[in-house]
């Protein structure tokens, strides 16, 4: 699918938010990581999403991430805000602030914890989509939110002119096919292990966590699928498998991605904010055992460059200013 018909790009990275050792946002580190990811093949960056620790970021931090992202990208990639909230009014406010800051899109997660009915989910998304002119990606991840966006609700939401896409972490491939057959919605794989299967049935691309560490192979997969080259796409998919397992299996993806990025010297600290904590010794060992199996990823050499620091990753930080709803 050409990016001319896709306002978000195809290889989107759900970016971690680099922190200093005391849990404050490392702004020079943010700039460097964004530039590295774009250079590595990303054509879209999601800032302040789940992987970016949106739950423990303040609203001013979220808006500044959009502003910094736009400055660093300088037109080379789209900057999408992870603008969800389980309070509709707050999500609308964040959307307006993000649009003013220059965001190119808004990834909006299903309201979490409240467990609204489908009528409540429908109203929530419609009101956020009405609040700005930003194109909206619905984020369907019932494993985190407690509720799915049901098929019938997706069909109704697809009629809104600002709702253009779905990030699918539900894993119901038959439903994806049904929606693609009956709407013009773009689909993005929200499950790193299923990027190639999603694209094989018509997804527009991915919004990935593992792409923080290795965006280039995802660029290969997307370009190969678009060229009808299944063999090349499959080879890249297989090379990524142990890295995906290392990042997405043993601890939250944010934690593992930061641990690995720090071990590679790409961010200054692996710190996460509480209640997230760095991997315990046995978890770190499992991550490192998976890393030992990584082969044939261009530009990614663990044998010479990977120096994990379990002490630096231990525990979690309490930032000076707590995240706020307003």
């Amino acid at each position: 699918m050409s990016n001319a018909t896709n306002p978000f790009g195809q290889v989107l990275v759900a970016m971690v938010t680099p922190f200093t050792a005391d849990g404050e946002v490392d702004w020079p580190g943010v700039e460097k990581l964004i530039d590295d990811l774009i250079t590595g093949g990303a054509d879209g960056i999601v800032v302040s999403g789940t992987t970016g620790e949106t739950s423990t970021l303040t609203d001013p931090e979220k808006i500044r991430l959009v502003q910094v992202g736009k400055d660093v990208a300088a037109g080379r990639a789209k900057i999408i805000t992870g603008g969800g909230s389980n309070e509709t009014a707050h999500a609308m406010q964040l959307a307006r602030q993000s649009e003013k800051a220059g965001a190119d899109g808004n990834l909006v997660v299903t309201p979490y914890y409240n467990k609204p009915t489908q009528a409540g989910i429908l109203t929530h998304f419609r009101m956020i989509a009405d609040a700005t002119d930003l194109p909206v990606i619905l984020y369907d991840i019932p494993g985190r939110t407690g509720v799915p966006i049901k098929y019938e609700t997706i069909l109704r939401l697809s009629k809104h002119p600002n709702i253009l896409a779905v990030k699918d972490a539900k894993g119901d491939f038959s439903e994806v096919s049904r929606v693609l057959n009956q709407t013009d919605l773009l689909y993005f794989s929200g499950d790193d292990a299923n990027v190639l299967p999603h694209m094989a049935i018509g997804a527009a691309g991915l919004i990935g966590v593992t792409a923080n560490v290795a965006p280039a192979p995802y660029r290969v997969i997307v370009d190969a699928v678009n060229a009808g080259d299944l063999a090349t796409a499959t080879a890249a998919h297989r090379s990524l498998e142990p890295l995906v397992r290392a990042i997405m299996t043993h601890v939250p993806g944010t934690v593992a991605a930061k641990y690995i990025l720090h071990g590679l010297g790409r961010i200054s600290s692996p710190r996460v904010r509480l209640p997230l904590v760095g991997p315990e010794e046995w978890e770190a060992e499992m991550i490192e055992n998976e890393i030992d199996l990584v082969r044939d990823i261009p530009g990614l050499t663990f044998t010479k460059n990977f120096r994990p620091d379990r002490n630096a990753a231990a525990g979690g930080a309490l930032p000076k200013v707590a995240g706020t709803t307003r």
Side-chain angles (χ1 to χ4, degrees):
M1 173 176 291
S2 167
N3 283 342
T5 59
N6 176 356
F8 308 104
Q10 292 179 282
V11 179
L12 277 60
V13 182
M15 193 184 81
V16 302
T17 304
F19 294 145
T20 62
D22 60 358
E24 301 305 312
V25 179
D26 175 6
W27 293 107
V30 169
E31 294 181 13
K32 179 180 182 300
L33 183 57
I34 291 172
D35 189 65
D36 287 349
L37 294 174
I38 295 171
T39 301
D43 45 26
I45 308 289
V46 176
V47 296
S48 74
T50 305
T51 305
E53 298 179 69
T54 185
S55 299
T56 50
L57 291 172
T58 66
D59 285 2
E61 287 172 334
K62 294 174 186 179
I63 302 309
R64 187 175 173 188
L65 281 165
V66 173
Q67 294 167 334
V68 170
K70 290 292 290 185
D71 287 344
V72 174
R76 297 177 295 158
K78 302 296 185 180
I79 301 298
I80 297 157
T81 184
S85 173
N86 64 342
E87 180 193 12
T88 305
H90 181 212
M92 293 168 66
Q93 180 187 52
L94 281 173
R96 295 186 187 105
Q97 292 174 328
S98 297
E99 182 180 44
K100 187 176 180 180
D104 296 299
N106 190 8
L107 174 66
V108 185
V109 72
T110 314
Y112 40 88
Y113 190 76
N114 314 48
K115 296 191 77 172
T117 63
Q118 292 298 302
I121 291 170
L122 183 73
T123 303
H124 178 81
F125 282 125
R126 281 177 171 170
M127 292 190 72
I128 295 166
D130 283 340
T132 72
D133 291 327
L134 290 176
V136 169
I137 306 173
L138 309 173
Y139 187 7
D140 191 7
I141 182 166
R144 284 184 181 268
T145 64
V147 287
I149 313 174
K150 290 189 176 179
Y151 164 76
E152 295 80 9
T153 305
I154 295 174
L155 292 191
R156 295 175 72 183
L157 287 167
S158 72
K159 301 181 187 307
H160 194 290
N162 290 342
I163 296 175
L164 304 187
V166 178
K167 176 183 177 182
D168 181 72
K170 187 159 57 182
D172 185 340
F173 288 89
S174 61
E175 181 178 284
V176 173
S177 294
R178 287 181 76 192
V179 175
L180 288 173
N181 274 343
Q182 297 187 48
T183 76
D184 293 323
L185 289 173
L186 302 167
Y187 258 76
F188 291 91
S189 178
D191 181 347
D192 288 5
N194 284 328
V195 170
L196 180 55
H198 264 120
M199 292 206 68
I201 61 170
L206 64 124
I207 302 176
V209 180
T210 305
N212 277 278
V213 177
Y218 290 106
R219 178 85 269 153
V220 171
I221 290 173
V222 166
D223 292 344
V225 169
N226 289 340
D229 183 356
L230 181 59
T232 297
T234 301
H237 166 82
R238 293 181 67 176
S239 72
L240 278 165
E241 188 270 332
L243 183 60
V244 170
R245 197 166 62 244
I247 292 175
M248 304 304 295
T249 304
H250 307 296
V251 294
T254 301
V255 174
K258 283 190 168 184
Y259 184 70
I260 295 170
L261 286 168
H262 179 252
L264 290 168
R266 295 186 189 172
I267 58 175
S268 64
S269 169
R271 182 67 67 228
V272 290
R273 287 180 178 175
L274 287 162
L276 292 182
V277 295
E280 296 187 62
E281 286 288 319
W282 61 276
E283 294 167 330
E285 183 176 0
M286 287 195 296
I287 292 169
E288 292 164 25
N289 287 342
E290 309 285 15
I291 291 299
D292 288 341
L293 301 175
V294 176
R295 304 283 188 276
D296 303 322
I297 296 181
L300 190 62
T301 305
F302 284 105
T303 53
K304 295 180 181 179
N305 301 327
F306 187 50
R307 301 289 182 270
D309 188 338
R310 298 181 186 182
N311 289 331
L318 285 172
K320 295 175 184 175
V321 177
T324 56
T325 55
R326 286 199 181 90

